[in-house]
């Protein structure tokens, strides 16, 4: 297993004109996948039993706010968007993940002693699919 640095990671969104572009000033991003657990315990069982239920995924992005970045501007709550998450960069053979989601939240914050920052959260509709850069 190869250990890789996250500093080459890229997250791309498909913009309104259909082109894809990286989210500018990205500081970090994450994909969180969850699965419902459905209890199947019946009378007479001494231990609880479960089966796997529906899966869900969330993509989160944190960036320095850039009001001139067309991708950051595009990420308004309620917007449906296609995404690509490239954890180790866009080089040939690098694995990435793609799918479609709805922008669930957008937050812009500032502190007197810090940068203006933005965070975005996408609720994925359907599956996240792995692929390799060609």
């Amino acid at each position: 297993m190869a250990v890789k640095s996250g500093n080459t990671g890229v997250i791309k969104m498909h913009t309104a004109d259909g082109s894809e572009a990286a989210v500018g000033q990205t500081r970090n991003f994450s994909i969180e996948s969850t699965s419902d657990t459905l209890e199947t315990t019946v009378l007479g069982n001494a231990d609880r039993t479960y089966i796997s239920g529906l899966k869900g995924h969330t993509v989160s992005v944190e960036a320095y706010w850039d009001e001139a970045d067309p991708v950051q501007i595009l990420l308004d709550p309620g917007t449906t968007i296609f995404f690509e998450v490239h954890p180790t960069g866009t080089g040939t053979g690098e694995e990435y993940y793609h799918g479609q989601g709805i922008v669930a939240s957008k937050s812009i914050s500032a502190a007197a002693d810090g940068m203006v920052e933005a965070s975005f959260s996408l609720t994925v509709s359907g599956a996240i699919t792995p692929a390799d850069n060609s």
Side-chain angles (χ1 to χ4, degrees):
M1 178 176 129
V3 177
K4 298 190 178 185
S5 172
N7 68 344
T8 58
V10 176
I11 184 160
K12 297 180 180 181
M13 304 290 172
H14 291 254
T15 60
D17 66 3
S19 63
E20 65 181 30
V23 178
Q25 310 298 325
T26 300
R27 297 187 56 230
N28 59 65
F29 53 80
S30 65
I31 299 174
E32 180 180 3
S33 297
T34 60
S35 176
D36 293 341
T37 51
L38 308 174
E39 187 170 354
T40 59
T41 309
V42 296
L43 293 175
N45 286 9
D47 296 299
R48 294 182 184 276
T49 57
Y50 298 88
I51 60 170
S52 178
L54 297 173
K55 294 179 184 177
H57 313 280
T58 303
V59 175
S60 300
V61 181
E62 293 184 10
Y64 291 123
W65 173 242
D66 182 355
E67 69 275 3
D69 179 36
V71 181
Q72 286 191 27
I73 300 302
L74 179 69
L75 295 173
D76 277 331
T79 303
T80 299
I81 194 158
F82 291 93
F83 64 87
E84 293 180 5
V85 177
H86 300 258
T88 56
T90 57
T92 301
E94 297 288 346
E95 185 171 70
Y96 71 96
Y97 305 91
H98 62 97
Q100 179 180 352
I102 298 169
V103 179
S105 67
K106 173 182 185 175
S107 174
I108 300 171
S109 61
D113 61 348
M115 302 293 291
V116 178
E117 299 181 11
S119 60
F120 309 94
S121 179
L122 283 73
T123 301
V124 177
S125 180
I128 293 179
T129 306
D132 288 328
N133 288 315
S134 49

